[in-house]
Amino acid sequence: MAAQEQLPKSIRKPLALTWAGLWAERVTHAFWPVWSVLFVFAGLMMFGLFGPLPFWGLALTVGLFGLAVAVYLVRGLRSFHMPSREDALRRLDATLPGRPIAALRDRPAVGNGDPASEALWHAHLLRMAERVQAAKAVGPALSQTKRDPYALRYVAIVAAAMGLLFGSFGQMGALSDGTGSGAAQAAGPSWEGWVEPPAHTRQPALYLNDLAAGPLDLMQGSRVIVRLYGGEGLTLSETVSGDAPEQLLTAADAPVRTREFSVAQSGTLEITGDGGRAWTVALRPDAVPTVSQNGEVEATPEGEMSLPFYAEDDYGIVGGSAEIRLDLASVDRRYGLALEPEPRDGLRSDLPLSYSGSRQAFGEILREDFSKHPWANLPVHVVLRVEDAIGQVGHSDVLAFELPGRRFFDPVARAVIEARRDLMWNRENASRIGQVMRAVTYRPEDVFRNMERYEGLKAILARLETAGTSMDAETRDALAEELWAYALELEDGDLEDARERMRQAQERLTEAMRNGASPEEIERLMQELRDATRDFMQELAERNGDQMDDDAQSNSENTMELTQNDLQEMMDRIQELMNEGRMAEAQQMLDQLMQMMENMSVQQGQGGQGQQAMDDLGNTLREQQELSDDAFDQLNQGQQGQEGQQQGQGQQGQGQQGDQAQNGQGQGQGLADQLAQRQRSLRNELERQRRNLPGAGTEDGDAARRNLDDAGRSMDEAEDALRDNDLGEAIDRQADAIESMREGLRSLEQALEGQEQGQDQAGGQQGQGRPMGEGRQDPLGRREGNGAPMGTEDPMLNGEDVYRRAEELTEEIRRRSAETERPEEERDYLNRLLDRF
């Protein structure tokens, strides 16, 4: 006892807590099966699972649970050891360095009476007392992993918790439903009721016994279940299902009566009798989903349409579609479209739904490629529709726009695509298509750079004329597919094949990097990518240099050789990163390389730009001539109308003549306004062409710009005259504009010829002065030429396809995360990316 008195008072609280923890630990170890069985029994009772049992079944069940409790209680008592204060001291002392509590309770075996020994012992006790000051309570070890490897104790806890959440304490005292002689039958009549909201609302069920009488809001389509147990005097009446009135009979007619019905309208729900309640049900309808356009319709150069939309519903969208129909009233019914179109079903495309997050309110983008459809580049009406879980459909307003399609820049390719459109519009256009295409190719040597392609067109036209207007739909579709492929060949040449080989090589290399291929395999795939890239660059050089003479083409090849060196440097760097195991950096640079190649594929050479400018300016000149002809026709019609009015002055009264004159003036003014609007459109197009005109800095190029400026001023004056209905003055100004545009075309042609001659002269002097390509930028925005840096600090994703690229990356990450053959670490990383973004 004296030894214990030496313990400091500071450890009393940690010691008491440690002692209490020992009690909890040993009680849990000994009796956890007892309370597990009791929890399971309580959960089953709160769910009312014992109610349907007869008396003998109830007795057997209760007996089994009681026997289990008794067995585990006896086992627990045998294994239980009451913890003492000494046990708590030993546990607390074991957590302190040097076991200071035991040291304070020790006595020296030798040295009693020796002052030096006693002083040393006293210093030792002081040090141990300081260590005791740091004592903290030791928590109990409640883990039952070894005793309960299947975690049955947690199953018991969950059963009790579920009973508390979704069951009722009212069931604790009712062990029978009255079919036997149980306690529930002896207790008299009782009832139970549940309301289950529709599954798509994801709302929990309601237990009517826990709801007070009064107003009750229920979702449309909710399922109500009511049961009456034992005794007489309980009935049910309701007006929310919309069915004929019906009452549940008392238990005298049937031991248990159950009725289920759906809530279809507002009304009342009442249980009469002892303990009965009444509710006034207010129906909460399911709102109809809504959808609307959420931005401008955009299109890629290849013709893929992007239509952003926003959808919303109170409980979530389950599906949607876009329905597209031709706006025939807005179609320019001329040439091949003058005939009535053949019947064709509307287009239907499924709307993409939100990949992550709630589908109650989300924005997405519908992306589809309708370039090959006969309605491409024609006005259409689009209606977006969305549907919720109960089948309600909401739709957007009618959206009117031109269905995006691929743009063709080669003149013959454009003519072929127009012929294909006319053939798909109506098969009776077959003879007209043959005549038009033969007129376009009247002098094939002036149109085709490769006469083999002309022979291909002749073969297609021969099959078209052979089939004639009596061709069936299958033949028509086959000819349309041939025309499409032929137009692509004219537009892209062999460039698409080279690009596809390059893409496939890049994909195989990426897959090898991801799967950890051997260095030999990566080296082989890297060489395949080098060869495919070289072929692509050569094809691109041929495409951009077809219109150059031999010397200029040689110069273009030198330029491509310099660009190829830059690409070779990037590929060497990619392979170096892969050899060092830096696969992420290598993949990033590979993606940059492919992006650069994609951008280069849509660029044109300087000669191609000049030819395109000449073609565009020639088209504008022809449209201006047509506008002038229409104005002249309008002037003649006005003069004929005035002559008719003068002849009618002696035959009709003044009042009638005045009305005719006013009507004639009103119609003339309306036509003049239309002509003025066309003049304004031509003026805007001319200004755009003037800004993009090649040959800047040369004498002829500057002269072409001055001529176009003069033409623009004449167009402005012609527009003002048309709005004033002064057709004579407008025609004079349009003639001035036409003459200025012709002079501009001649100056532009001379400027382009001078530029080609300058390139010929500079062909042998590329190594002197500024390196070729310096000052220009490649498709990734980097400076070209020797000494230019390989990278750029400018962001690469400042374009219109940022969100599309982000969506593509998200979809790819989601696809890879679902592949079970991937390593678990990689899939965990991909899932974290999805959770983060």
Side-chain angles (χ1 to χ4, degrees):
M1 183 63 106
Q4 293 183 5
E5 292 177 353
Q6 296 180 5
L7 296 177
K9 297 180 179 181
S10 60
I11 70 168
R12 291 181 179 178
K13 183 176 179 180
L15 180 60
L17 293 176
T18 303
W19 197 0
L22 274 175
W23 273 94
E25 177 182 322
R26 295 187 180 183
V27 168
T28 301
H29 289 174
F31 300 107
W32 71 267
V34 176
W35 54 255
S36 296
V37 173
L38 293 177
F39 279 174
V40 171
F41 184 74
L44 296 178
M45 287 183 63
M46 283 186 284
F47 274 113
L49 298 181
F50 296 147
L53 295 178
F55 177 76
W56 63 268
L58 177 64
L60 179 61
T61 303
V62 174
L64 291 176
F65 274 98
L67 179 62
V69 171
V71 170
Y72 286 124
L73 185 60
V74 171
R75 288 180 56 185
L77 290 174
R78 289 181 177 179
S79 62
F80 178 73
H81 298 284
M82 184 181 301
S84 64
R85 186 172 183 273
E86 290 297 322
D87 294 334
L89 278 174
R90 282 193 294 271
R91 172 166 289 193
L92 184 62
D93 194 22
T95 61
L96 299 174
R99 296 186 176 270
I101 296 178
L104 291 177
R105 302 173 68 188
D106 289 343
R107 289 289 181 269
V110 295
N112 291 328
D114 182 10
S117 298
E118 291 181 354
L120 181 60
W121 181 254
H122 182 68
H124 172 65
L125 293 180
L126 290 178
R127 178 179 294 180
M128 295 297 103
E130 291 178 357
R131 293 184 179 180
V132 169
Q133 300 299 324
K136 294 182 180 180
V138 182
L142 301 179
S143 174
Q144 305 296 318
T145 303
K146 294 182 179 180
R147 298 175 178 83
D148 182 21
Y150 299 105
L152 298 179
R153 61 194 185 282
Y154 295 126
V155 175
I157 294 174
V158 171
M162 295 294 288
L164 289 173
L165 291 174
F166 302 104
S168 173
F169 279 109
Q171 299 296 320
M172 296 291 289
L175 297 180
S176 177
D177 62 357
T179 56
S181 57
Q185 186 178 19
S190 61
W191 61 274
E192 278 187 296
W194 299 268
V195 178
E196 299 177 354
H200 71 274
T201 64
R202 299 181 180 88
Q203 294 182 349
L206 301 177
Y207 189 55
L208 290 178
N209 298 62
D210 294 338
L211 300 179
L216 179 62
D217 289 339
L218 295 182
M219 189 69 197
Q220 182 180 7
S222 297
R223 193 73 177 165
V224 180
I225 305 172
V226 178
R227 292 178 183 172
L228 301 183
Y229 304 104
E232 297 183 359
L234 287 178
T235 59
L236 167 69
S237 61
E238 56 85 13
T239 61
V240 296
S241 65
D243 300 333
E246 179 183 352
Q247 291 185 337
L248 287 176
L249 300 179
T250 63
D253 298 305
V256 178
R257 293 300 306 270
T258 301
R259 186 183 174 195
E260 299 183 11
F261 55 89
S262 297
V263 178
Q265 61 188 18
S266 299
T268 59
L269 174 63
E270 183 177 5
I271 300 174
T272 58
D274 294 339
R277 298 174 199 172
W279 296 273
T280 301
V281 177
L283 186 67
R284 189 168 70 249
D286 194 333
V288 177
T290 60
V291 61
S292 60
Q293 185 178 355
N294 193 32
E296 295 296 328
V297 179
E298 299 178 353
T300 63
E302 292 77 17
E304 183 184 54
M305 178 188 71
S306 296
L307 173 59
F309 66 92
Y310 181 82
E312 188 173 6
D313 185 64
D314 48 0
Y315 292 106
I317 304 292
V318 299
S321 63
E323 298 180 1
I324 304 174
R325 296 190 178 277
L326 179 66
D327 183 10
L328 189 59
S330 301
V331 176
D332 186 6
R333 303 293 298 277
R334 295 188 298 171
Y335 310 122
L337 305 181
L339 298 175
E340 287 298 318
E342 295 181 1
R344 188 176 296 275
D345 295 334
L347 294 172
R348 185 183 182 278
S349 181
D350 293 334
L351 294 179
L353 301 182
S354 176
Y355 289 113
S356 60
S358 173
R359 291 183 179 177
Q360 293 176 279
F362 63 92
E364 279 291 343
I365 300 177
L366 171 64
R367 290 190 174 91
E368 291 288 350
D369 188 356
F370 298 112
S371 295
K372 298 176 68 173
H373 196 273
W375 297 345
N377 299 314
L378 293 179
V380 294
H381 284 162
V382 180
V383 176
L384 305 179
R385 301 181 185 275
V386 290
E387 182 179 353
D388 63 9
I390 63 174
Q392 297 184 113
V393 177
H395 58 82
S396 67
D397 297 333
V398 177
L399 311 178
F401 54 83
E402 285 191 358
L403 189 65
R406 174 166 179 160
R407 294 184 60 190
F408 288 83
F409 299 95
D410 184 90
V412 181
R414 287 203 302 268
V416 171
I417 288 300
E418 183 175 347
R420 176 184 180 275
R421 181 202 65 186
D422 295 345
L423 178 63
M424 299 293 287
W425 182 266
N426 194 314
R427 278 168 276 188
E428 294 183 6
N429 282 321
S431 58
R432 177 186 175 278
I433 292 172
Q435 294 175 359
V436 171
M437 293 308 301
R438 293 193 183 281
V440 170
T441 59
Y442 174 67
R443 300 181 63 181
E445 63 277 2
D446 296 338
V447 176
F448 294 94
R449 296 186 295 269
N450 186 347
M451 294 305 294
E452 293 181 0
R453 291 178 177 169
Y454 171 62
E455 296 298 329
L457 179 59
K458 285 177 58 179
I460 297 176
L461 293 178
R463 287 194 293 274
L464 179 65
E465 293 173 346
T466 300
T469 58
S470 61
M471 73 178 71
D472 55 17
E474 184 178 354
T475 303
R476 176 202 61 191
D477 295 340
L479 287 171
E481 186 65 28
E482 290 186 36
L483 290 172
W484 177 266
Y486 184 77
L488 288 181
E489 183 180 358
L490 290 178
E491 181 72 14
D492 298 325
D494 298 327
L495 189 63
E496 285 298 328
D497 295 337
R499 182 192 291 114
E500 185 61 27
R501 290 195 300 274
M502 185 178 63
R503 287 176 179 171
Q504 292 178 1
Q506 185 262 346
E507 291 175 0
R508 285 192 290 268
L509 180 59
T510 299
E511 189 69 20
M513 293 166 59
R514 184 169 57 241
N515 296 334
S518 63
E520 294 79 10
E521 179 68 14
I522 290 180
E523 173 65 25
R524 184 184 66 80
L525 294 174
M526 195 68 197
Q527 186 59 44
E528 181 180 341
L529 178 60
R530 295 176 194 269
D531 297 339
T533 304
R534 183 183 64 251
D535 295 342
F536 174 76
M537 294 296 294
Q538 290 177 353
E539 190 65 36
L540 185 63
E542 293 177 2
R543 179 186 181 188
N544 291 339
D546 280 343
Q547 296 182 357
M548 301 178 182
D549 56 23
D550 295 339
D551 294 336
Q553 185 171 357
S554 176
N555 184 34
S556 175
E557 291 173 357
N558 292 334
T559 304
M560 281 300 169
E561 182 180 356
L562 181 62
T563 305
Q564 182 70 29
N565 291 337
D566 292 338
L567 295 176
Q568 185 70 30
E569 184 178 347
M570 287 190 69
M571 291 185 184
D572 292 342
R573 179 57 179 165
I574 291 172
Q575 187 166 2
E576 180 182 351
L577 291 173
M578 289 190 294
N579 294 337
E580 295 175 358
R582 299 155 64 179
M583 294 300 178
E585 298 179 37
Q587 182 62 55
Q588 182 179 5
M589 182 167 285
L590 181 60
D591 293 340
Q592 293 177 3
L593 172 63
M594 299 312 299
Q595 182 66 36
M596 181 181 68
M597 301 305 297
E598 287 293 333
N599 291 341
M600 287 185 65
S601 67
V602 299
Q603 290 184 351
Q604 300 291 334
Q606 188 66 28
Q609 293 177 1
Q611 184 61 42
Q612 186 66 42
M614 294 281 291
D615 293 341
D616 292 344
L617 193 55
N619 292 335
T620 304
L621 177 59
R622 284 191 293 273
E623 292 177 6
Q624 180 63 67
Q625 183 64 58
E626 293 175 0
L627 178 58
S628 181
D629 294 341
D630 292 343
F632 185 80
D633 294 340
Q634 178 62 24
L635 178 62
N636 289 337
Q637 293 175 6
Q639 291 176 352
Q640 294 175 2
Q642 291 177 1
E643 293 175 0
Q645 291 174 7
Q646 292 174 0
Q647 294 175 2
Q649 287 180 357
Q651 302 175 3
Q652 300 180 358
Q654 292 292 331
Q656 185 176 1
Q657 179 196 355
D659 294 340
Q660 292 176 349
Q662 291 178 2
N663 292 337
Q665 290 175 0
Q667 295 175 359
Q669 182 62 45
L671 293 174
D673 290 339
Q674 295 179 8
L675 295 175
Q677 184 62 35
R678 289 173 57 188
Q679 186 67 76
R680 167 54 54 184
S681 300
L682 284 177
R683 174 69 177 92
N684 295 336
E685 177 62 15
L686 182 67
E687 178 61 21
R688 184 192 67 80
Q689 295 173 6
R690 190 195 67 80
R691 290 196 302 266
N692 300 327
L693 208 64
T698 64
E699 181 178 355
D700 292 327
D702 294 338
R705 284 172 170 77
R706 288 193 298 271
N707 291 327
L708 295 187
D709 286 337
D710 295 339
R713 284 191 293 271
S714 298
M715 286 182 174
D716 291 337
E717 295 171 359
E719 179 188 1
D720 295 337
L722 288 172
R723 296 194 184 279
D724 295 335
N725 204 15
D726 188 356
L727 297 177
E729 178 67 15
I731 293 173
D732 292 339
R733 301 287 72 77
Q734 289 172 343
D736 295 339
I738 292 172
E739 184 60 26
S740 297
M741 293 173 66
R742 287 174 177 167
E743 290 295 332
L745 269 172
R746 284 192 286 268
S747 299
L748 177 60
E749 184 177 6
Q750 293 173 3
L752 294 178
E753 291 176 356
Q755 186 175 11
E756 291 178 358
Q757 293 174 2
Q759 290 176 352
D760 293 343
Q761 295 174 0
Q765 302 176 1
Q766 291 297 330
Q768 303 174 5
R770 187 177 68 176
M772 181 170 55
E774 187 174 338
R776 297 181 298 171
Q777 293 183 341
D778 68 4
L780 288 181
R782 304 173 303 182
R783 294 194 305 275
E784 296 182 6
N786 296 329
M790 282 295 297
T792 175
E793 297 180 356
D794 297 331
M796 292 180 59
L797 293 179
N798 284 349
E800 297 180 353
D801 291 338
V802 176
Y803 299 105
R804 176 189 177 194
R805 179 59 175 162
E807 183 178 355
E808 291 175 351
L809 289 175
T810 304
E811 180 63 26
E812 179 65 18
I813 293 175
R814 184 173 289 104
R815 182 187 67 79
R816 295 185 183 185
S817 66
E819 295 177 353
T820 57
E821 64 273 9
R822 293 184 177 276
E824 188 66 26
E825 294 80 3
E826 180 180 354
R827 296 177 63 196
D828 290 343
Y829 171 70
L830 295 174
N831 289 327
R832 288 197 301 272
L833 284 180
L834 291 175
D835 295 339
R836 174 66 179 83
F837 298 102

